[in-house]
Amino acid sequence: MRNSIAIIVALLLALAPLGSAYAQANAPQQTTSPAQNVASSDGTEQKSQPASTTPDDRPAGVLYEEARTYATKKFTDFVRANVPYNRQLEQQVYQEQREMAARYATQISARGNLKGDDLYFLGMLYSLVSRDDETLDALTKFLGEPLQGANEHEQGARITVAVILAKRNRLEEAEKFLGDYKANQPQRMDQLFRAQTELAIAYVSAKNLERAAQVGRDAFDSIKNFKPTTTTERRVLREGIDSAGGFLVDTMMSLRRRDDAANVLREMSGIALALPSADIYKKATRGLRALGQPVDNIKAVSIAASADAAAPEIGAVKWIDQKPVKLSDLRGRVVLLDFWAPWCGPCVSTFPQLKTWNARYKAKGLVILGLTHLQDASEAAGHEMTNEQELNFLQQFKRQYGLPYGVAVADGGGNDEIYGISSIPSTFLIDRRGQIRYITVGASEAENARITKLIEQLLDEPAQ
């Protein structure tokens, strides 16, 4: 359970307002800075004028929005200027953001007689610098005023207060604010997930595992309903499913509810097929096997992010011995996707089995596609190469091992990201309807036998 809690805490940090990184920046460019030391476009530090102490009379909402988005905008600047990642520079930007938020909070508080949204923005500025006492004071005053019904600020205040109270083990109060949030609109599943997760962790600390399991189940259901719109949010979704599901399984096992734990693992496996995610599938099915449960006939579980359970399309800048093809064009056939790299010994060890499957089942409707990317060639060769040299390397590598099926070559790890791959070889079996039916990570005789059986099973199924 400790590992699950640690992962969830890390995920909560990723969902927090400061949870940005260079590669995750997507906001408009900002040209001003409040800092004492500001990074230039080449990543070096240069002196700037100290932040002004003159009171800023702009509306509280404008000040909050500037502080909230400061780090993201700075990181966007760095990405555009091709500034390499630097941990010290990242921490400097976060410090600048905290200083800005604290300064703006002080200025707003000094205005006196605050009401309405001014209280809300004051509380949220305090939350940016983790000044929980001041955050609670401002937001509870805001919520104590006559409410306007469905209001995004009221909901944001409720969830922020619930999270702080949960971290302080004031569980009944946290439950009340969380209940108020759930009884009103609008609702954001990532916000709800965060509060429920903090509450579940708090119940573990309070040694109330039954309630921890109930709230943990709520958190798991909330992240299932999260609809990501960016690559970063999709990663948050996968990590949320993994960590919340793992927390729930651990809690069920601590309660000696093995059947319930197995049901969660089975659900996670089905979600992994629909997302897809090789990493989640591997962990969940290993858990099922440890409990003596079968894994051969798991069905995809549709969630908000994957209402269409069809395997996502793959991208390629070049195809080797294969005309460009979409997975949707292969409906009616059984498809095996093999994610590999030329530097990967276990990947190479699977080639004989892949060639056997191709020879035995191609005429019956099996299509095997290998997936790798250009950069893997440079890594295998041990030196940098041009794209043309990398492609030539991969073509020669394919001929050297006599691979009789086509290979899709991507420029970067986009396919790995889409399919939730953290290790290779990873294999995906897709049925005649275009749905992923099985995932395996690694290579073994037992897995080869299992895949052989499943290939035959899928070939026997009708296309419709």
Side-chain angles (χ1 to χ4, degrees):
M1 187 180 299
R2 291 177 181 176
N3 289 338
S4 297
I5 291 175
I7 293 170
I8 289 177
V9 170
L11 180 60
L12 293 179
L13 293 176
L15 288 171
L18 296 182
S20 301
Y22 295 10
Q24 299 173 4
N26 57 11
Q29 186 172 0
Q30 172 160 313
T31 57
T32 61
S33 170
Q36 297 98 349
N37 296 314
V38 183
S40 66
S41 61
D42 63 0
T44 60
E45 290 185 357
Q46 51 187 346
K47 288 289 184 180
S48 66
Q49 295 298 319
S52 172
T53 57
T54 303
D56 194 324
D57 60 0
R58 289 179 294 168
V62 173
L63 299 182
Y64 169 66
E65 190 63 17
E66 183 177 336
R68 185 186 68 84
T69 61
Y70 176 77
T72 300
K73 290 178 179 179
K74 291 294 291 185
F75 294 147
T76 302
D77 288 349
F78 297 157
V79 170
R80 289 172 176 168
N82 294 317
V83 176
Y85 175 77
N86 181 296
R87 175 71 174 174
Q88 183 177 1
L89 181 59
E90 181 183 46
Q91 292 305 308
Q92 174 190 325
V93 171
Y94 285 148
Q95 181 60 29
E96 293 167 5
Q97 182 177 41
R98 287 189 288 269
E99 290 172 358
M100 173 187 278
R103 184 170 65 256
Y104 286 169
T106 299
Q107 292 179 1
I108 294 172
S109 180
R111 295 174 184 176
N113 196 30
L114 299 179
K115 295 181 180 180
D117 282 348
D118 284 351
L119 280 170
Y120 169 76
F121 291 121
L122 175 63
M124 297 307 289
L125 280 166
Y126 282 133
S127 75
L128 287 176
V129 286
S130 300
R131 289 168 59 173
D132 289 350
D133 287 337
E134 290 94 333
T135 302
L136 283 175
D137 181 64
L139 294 183
T140 52
K141 286 180 180 177
F142 167 70
L143 291 172
E145 295 181 347
L147 302 180
Q148 304 300 315
N151 184 292
E152 185 175 352
H153 291 168
E154 292 168 5
Q155 287 291 78
R158 290 183 181 109
I159 212 72
T160 302
V161 169
V163 168
I164 293 174
L165 293 174
K167 289 191 296 185
R168 294 186 168 191
N169 290 320
R170 292 164 60 178
L171 303 182
E172 290 187 8
E173 295 172 86
E175 291 262 24
K176 175 188 178 300
F177 281 97
L178 183 57
D180 290 343
Y181 181 89
K182 293 168 68 175
N184 289 277
Q185 295 293 333
Q187 294 180 17
R188 284 177 43 187
M189 290 302 105
D190 57 332
Q191 289 183 336
L192 191 56
F193 171 73
R194 183 186 180 197
Q196 290 166 333
T197 300
E198 287 283 10
L199 191 57
I201 293 171
Y203 275 117
V204 171
S205 298
K207 302 187 185 307
N208 187 344
L209 294 185
E210 285 289 352
R211 186 58 184 151
Q214 293 169 355
V215 180
R217 179 73 231 189
D218 291 340
F220 188 53
D221 290 340
S222 292
I223 198 65
K224 282 164 46 182
N225 288 313
F226 178 51
K227 295 182 179 180
T229 58
T230 66
T231 298
T232 298
E233 288 182 351
R234 193 164 187 86
R235 192 176 300 120
V236 167
L237 170 64
R238 288 196 181 103
E239 291 174 352
I241 293 293
D242 186 11
S243 57
F247 173 88
L248 191 53
V249 169
D250 287 349
T251 306
M252 295 299 185
M253 292 299 291
S254 296
L255 291 167
R256 299 186 179 183
R257 291 161 55 179
R258 290 171 59 91
D259 289 346
D260 290 334
N263 288 336
V264 175
L265 288 167
R266 195 170 292 107
E267 185 177 3
M268 291 175 66
S269 303
I271 291 171
L273 290 175
L275 281 176
S277 173
D279 190 47
I280 295 176
Y281 191 85
K282 175 181 69 175
K283 293 177 183 178
T285 52
R286 283 181 177 176
L288 284 172
R289 290 189 179 104
L291 291 175
Q293 298 288 324
V295 301
D296 291 349
N297 293 308
I298 292 172
K299 303 296 183 182
V301 175
S302 179
I303 62 174
S306 56
D308 180 5
E313 294 292 350
I314 56 178
V317 295
K318 188 69 177 180
W319 292 82
I320 303 176
D321 300 331
Q322 169 73 51
K323 292 181 179 180
V325 65
K326 295 181 178 180
L327 294 180
S328 57
D329 297 333
L330 298 175
R331 299 285 168 81
R333 302 186 184 185
V334 174
V335 179
L336 186 153
L337 300 181
D338 174 47
F339 287 78
W340 64 279
W343 49 261
C344 169
C347 298
V348 173
S349 73
T350 66
F351 289 166
Q353 182 63 67
L354 287 163
K355 290 194 287 186
T356 298
W357 286 328
N358 187 78
R360 186 181 301 172
Y361 300 115
K362 180 179 179 179
K364 297 181 180 180
L366 176 68
V367 176
I368 298 178
L369 295 175
L371 288 89
T372 189
H373 38 85
L374 291 171
Q375 293 74 16
D376 283 332
S378 290
E379 188 169 349
H383 59 83
E384 291 295 323
M385 295 188 287
T386 66
N387 285 359
E388 183 177 357
Q389 290 171 330
E390 288 172 325
L391 183 59
N392 288 335
F393 180 95
L394 292 171
Q395 289 173 325
Q396 293 172 8
F397 190 91
K398 183 178 182 297
R399 285 196 295 268
Q400 176 185 347
Y401 285 93
L403 302 182
Y405 48 83
V407 172
V409 183
D411 184 11
N415 291 327
D416 295 352
E417 175 68 29
I418 291 171
Y419 277 80
I421 291 172
S422 61
S423 57
I424 52 176
S426 289
T427 303
F428 293 74
L429 266 182
I430 303 172
D431 66 18
R432 295 183 185 273
R433 298 171 298 163
Q435 296 184 354
I436 298 171
R437 295 284 291 277
Y438 189 73
I439 306 171
T440 185
V441 180
S444 69
E445 290 300 321
E447 281 300 309
N448 289 342
R450 186 173 289 109
I451 292 175
T452 298
K453 179 181 177 181
L454 287 169
I455 289 173
E456 294 177 350
Q457 175 185 323
L458 298 183
L459 287 172
D460 288 339
E461 293 179 356
Q464 296 297 326

